[in-house]
Amino acid sequence: MLGSTPIEFDRNYDGPIICVKGLRNSFGDQVVHEDLDLDVQRGEIIGVVGGSGTGKSVLMRSIIGLQTPDEGEIRVFDKQILGKSDAETIEIRKRWGVLFQGGALFSTLTVAENVMVPIREFYPKMDRDFRREVAKYKVCLSGLPPDAAPKYPSELSGGMKKRAGIARALAMDPELLFLDEPTAGLDPIGAAAFDNLTKELQQTLGLTVFLITHDLDTLHAICDRVAVLADKKVIAVGTIPELLALDHPWIQEYFNGPRGRMAAPQP
């Protein structure tokens, strides 16, 4: 939008990092979300769970601006983002990073070049050699070996692709990290290693993490709170013990079913 000015925000704001109110999303006659509310607090890892079709990824895409809701309000860092142009939200988008399902790497670019994509987008005049150095650092930060930087996605294992996606998500030194099914398709050892990486990054970098997952082990291992999507809205948010105290049938089946009992920490 010509003439748009970037949103100004208070970096000392200490309220919810994400605040969603009255969200409605639909696709034709199918209503995915209706009057959905959710607050995400600074510094937490919040897991978002729900059955298939409850719109977990749609919720994330709405927050980061890839899906336009029918109704509602979405505030990130206390600033309304709905109805704003890319030019107006650029300063906010610099402050988050996203890992999409499967990594979503550009197949024709190396790992380092993938990491440099957001840097080029937001800082097109940055010296190319400096961009390369930043990319190398982010690759190492993700737990990949330095020799992974010049490789193409087709040369990486599934777990390495996830880490390359994390390296790209961290390219802009974000405060807020969105992870969409980060452990899907990984073996138990790889999934546990990725959970550990997520927790280490959150603690070391002071990140707030919005984590969509079906992985019960991940929920128990690293999530501070869990938001449950059902009935077209967030029906509950809390720690796993708090959720287990509720009598909603989906919550009980999910956390108290055979897989849930196996994932729960043993006394």
Side-chain angles (χ1 to χ4, degrees):
M1 183 185 300
L2 295 177
S4 297
T5 56
I7 291 174
E8 296 182 0
F9 48 85
D10 181 6
R11 286 189 174 272
N12 295 319
Y13 171 72
D14 61 359
I17 294 295
I18 300 171
C19 184
V20 180
K21 297 291 185 186
L23 193 70
R24 185 181 195 273
N25 275 305
S26 64
F27 299 93
D29 295 332
Q30 180 185 6
V31 178
V32 179
H33 301 140
E34 187 73 74
D35 199 26
L36 183 152
D37 297 339
L38 177 64
D39 285 350
V40 177
Q41 305 301 325
R42 181 182 297 274
E44 73 174 340
I45 299 179
I46 187 166
V48 180
V49 302
S52 297
T54 54
K56 300 180 294 295
S57 294
V58 173
L59 173 58
M60 187 191 85
R61 290 171 63 85
S62 297
I63 296 170
I64 65 176
L66 297 181
Q67 167 74 26
T68 302
D70 304 324
E71 298 174 9
E73 177 180 332
I74 298 175
R75 301 180 73 84
V76 182
F77 300 110
D78 198 35
K79 294 299 177 182
Q80 173 67 257
I81 63 171
L82 294 183
K84 304 294 184 181
S85 68
D86 286 348
E88 291 173 303
T89 60
I90 186 170
E91 294 302 321
I92 293 179
R93 289 185 288 115
K94 286 179 182 178
R95 297 173 69 182
W96 71 49
V98 184
L99 173 64
F100 294 99
Q101 288 189 39
L105 300 172
F106 296 105
S107 61
T108 58
L109 301 180
T110 66
V111 170
E113 289 168 341
N114 266 280
V115 176
M116 286 189 282
V117 167
I119 303 175
R120 286 200 306 268
E121 176 186 358
F122 291 113
Y123 295 104
K125 296 182 180 179
M126 182 182 288
D127 178 76
R128 181 173 176 82
D129 288 338
F130 185 66
R131 287 202 304 262
R132 287 173 174 166
E133 289 303 312
V134 172
K136 289 179 182 178
Y137 170 69
K138 301 301 181 180
V139 168
C140 291
L141 193 63
S142 73
L144 287 171
D147 62 5
K151 293 183 177 180
Y152 289 91
S154 61
E155 301 176 280
L156 305 178
S157 67
M160 293 177 74
K161 288 178 182 177
K162 302 272 190 178
R163 289 176 181 265
I166 277 284
R168 186 175 64 187
L170 295 173
M172 297 299 298
D173 295 330
E175 301 167 53
L176 174 59
L177 191 61
F178 293 92
L179 306 179
D180 192 356
E181 298 285 2
T183 60
L186 299 182
D187 61 67
I189 294 175
F194 199 92
D195 287 343
N196 291 336
L197 172 65
T198 302
K199 188 65 177 179
E200 289 171 5
L201 291 172
Q202 181 254 344
Q203 293 177 333
T204 303
L205 304 178
L207 299 172
T208 302
V209 182
F210 182 100
L211 169 64
I212 297 172
T213 187
H214 284 101
D215 194 327
L216 285 155
D217 289 324
T218 296
L219 296 173
H220 283 284
I222 66 171
C223 290
D224 299 298
R225 294 193 303 155
V226 178
V228 181
L229 269 65
D231 308 325
K232 302 178 183 178
K233 62 186 66 178
V234 175
I235 60 169
V237 185
T239 63
I240 292 178
E242 290 170 343
L243 295 177
L244 284 170
L246 304 176
D247 61 1
H248 190 280
W250 191 90
I251 293 175
Q252 289 299 320
E253 183 178 1
Y254 188 73
F255 287 105
N256 264 333
R259 289 179 182 270
R261 291 196 298 271
M262 289 178 64
Q266 299 302 310

